[in-house]
Amino acid sequence: WLVEALTHRALGVSAHGAIVTMLASATADVMFWVVRFPFETGKLRVQAMQDRSTLGAMRRLLAEGGYRPGVLYRGWQTVLWRDVPYDALEFGFYELSRTATARIRRPDAERRTAGECDDRRWESALCGALSALCASLLTTPLDVARTRVMTQPRGVLVAYAGVLDCLSKVLRVEGPRALFTGLGERAVMASVGGAIWFSVYEFVRIGPPE
């Protein structure tokens, strides 16, 4: 919903373009995590048996941090490093692939417009799967770095100062191949998820086919 609202209302664009969609998706992602991350922080503390409830964990963190909202956003850069590029690329590739399929059927089409050429649901699924696959291939190094940063032991000595530091050290010490650990599993899951997600996305956006 945020992507559609930003694309058509805030940006005033009636036609889907890859760049516009990528910008809208990235902006929507940041807005989403601004709201969700404090709850995600509280949930992690509950899962670690440090608190009994998410809201209780959030209240404790605020109290310990002098009621500064920033304490609820510690480490959120690691989430943004992975999710914002992934979603922006996924939506961008999707619009490019849908435009390509529209041009195959109608060569004079410069780009697909809202609601146009969406009656073929298999296209949504296929383009969604390919878009998610491409996005996962390009962002797997960020996912590997994020995982390492978030799972490293907390203490005086930390292996990685952040995502960029992690990428640099892994590339230098372990080589490029280490940055694509788990690529196969992630690509398969992303492709299946993309096919389902974009099929539902088009159904909700324009309704069932006539």
Side-chain angles (χ1 to χ4, degrees):
W1 178 83
L2 281 174
V3 174
E4 289 297 313
L6 288 168
T7 302
H8 298 301
R9 299 176 187 176
L11 298 178
V13 179
S14 60
H16 286 256
I19 300 299
V20 170
T21 304
M22 290 175 70
L23 291 174
S25 174
T27 304
D29 235 358
V30 173
M31 294 169 64
F32 169 77
W33 280 111
V34 166
V35 176
R36 177 179 170 179
F37 197 81
F39 295 93
E40 189 73 13
T41 300
K43 184 195 74 173
L44 291 175
R45 289 179 65 91
V46 172
Q47 291 176 336
M49 306 296 289
Q50 296 176 344
D51 287 282
R52 294 185 176 182
S53 69
T54 298
L55 292 179
M58 293 168 63
R59 285 195 294 266
R60 182 191 295 271
L61 285 171
L62 284 172
E64 293 174 351
Y67 292 95
R68 292 173 299 174
V71 300
L72 297 177
Y73 290 91
R74 288 174 181 167
W76 87 315
Q77 298 93 337
T78 58
V79 174
L80 296 183
W81 267 109
R82 184 198 66 175
D83 286 9
V84 172
Y86 176 84
D87 287 336
L89 288 170
E90 185 181 33
F91 270 90
F93 283 133
Y94 181 75
E95 290 303 327
L96 284 174
S97 60
R98 290 310 303 268
T99 297
T101 56
R103 284 176 175 173
I104 291 174
R105 291 196 304 273
R106 190 162 62 87
D108 61 329
E110 295 184 0
R111 65 178 63 168
R112 79 183 186 105
T113 56
E116 182 183 22
C117 303
D118 289 319
D119 56 329
R120 303 187 182 187
R121 298 304 172 183
W122 65 269
E123 284 187 8
S124 299
L126 178 60
C127 292
L130 292 175
S131 301
L133 174 62
C134 293
S136 66
L137 291 174
L138 293 175
T139 59
T140 291
L142 294 175
D143 188 46
V144 171
R146 169 187 175 271
T147 301
R148 292 198 181 197
V149 170
M150 295 189 70
T151 57
Q152 66 181 332
R154 301 297 179 185
V156 178
L157 297 176
V158 294
Y160 310 111
V163 172
L164 290 179
D165 182 56
C166 179
L167 288 171
S168 176
K169 288 181 177 178
V170 171
L171 184 62
R172 184 173 64 252
V173 176
E174 303 177 44
R177 189 171 183 176
L179 292 175
F180 291 89
T181 303
L183 173 61
E185 295 86 347
R186 186 166 187 255
V188 171
M189 294 300 296
S191 298
V192 174
I196 297 172
W197 198 96
F198 279 103
S199 295
V200 176
Y201 167 71
E202 293 289 1
F203 181 87
V204 172
R205 189 169 71 88
I206 66 171
E210 296 181 357

